[in-house]
Amino acid sequence: MRVLIAGAGIGGLTAALSLQAAGIESALVEGARELRPLGVGINLLPHAVRELTDLGLGDDLARIGVAITENVYCDRIGATLFTEKRGLAGGADRPHHDRPQHDRHH
């Protein structure tokens, strides 16, 4: 079996690595002429962290990411509406990582 993966974003690249780890051949196609940082941050929920950790990237995620323990929702003037525990603090089996935009080149 050979799987065609369209797009070399985080989902496509992760799919290619996961298939390779499972011994399944894949072809990855991308419309962009070159891959380069887009200048955006990334938010990795615990299920995504689990997949990337299974690919051997857990230590790197812990080193370069920020573990999110709580989301705080505020109104337009900054008053807290409610909070929500996230990642390990919220009972997940993996952390919730954020990779801020300003620090994406390290």
Side-chain angles (χ1 to χ4, degrees):
M1 174 191 324
R2 186 170 188 208
V3 176
L4 177 64
I5 302 168
I10 190 169
L13 293 173
T14 301
L17 287 172
S18 294
L19 289 168
Q20 180 183 18
I24 299 171
E25 185 180 356
S26 66
L28 179 68
V29 295
E30 171 57 52
R33 293 197 165 146
E34 66 176 300
L35 298 181
R36 57 188 175 81
L38 296 176
V40 298
I42 187 167
N43 186 28
L44 297 170
L45 298 176
H47 62 280
V49 171
R50 181 184 316 110
E51 294 300 317
L52 294 171
T53 298
D54 288 349
L55 291 171
L57 300 171
D59 290 341
D60 290 330
L61 288 175
R63 182 177 50 79
I64 65 172
V66 176
I68 303 299
T69 58
E70 183 177 67
N71 282 346
V72 179
Y73 298 89
C74 301
D75 65 15
R76 62 184 169 82
I77 59 171
T80 299
L81 298 172
F82 70 96
T83 61
E84 177 182 55
K85 298 291 184 194
R86 304 297 298 164
L88 297 172
D93 65 341
R94 297 280 193 263
H96 177 159
H97 282 296
D98 183 58
R99 175 75 170 148
Q101 170 192 356
H102 69 276
D103 198 25
R104 70 185 185 281
H105 294 294
H106 298 282

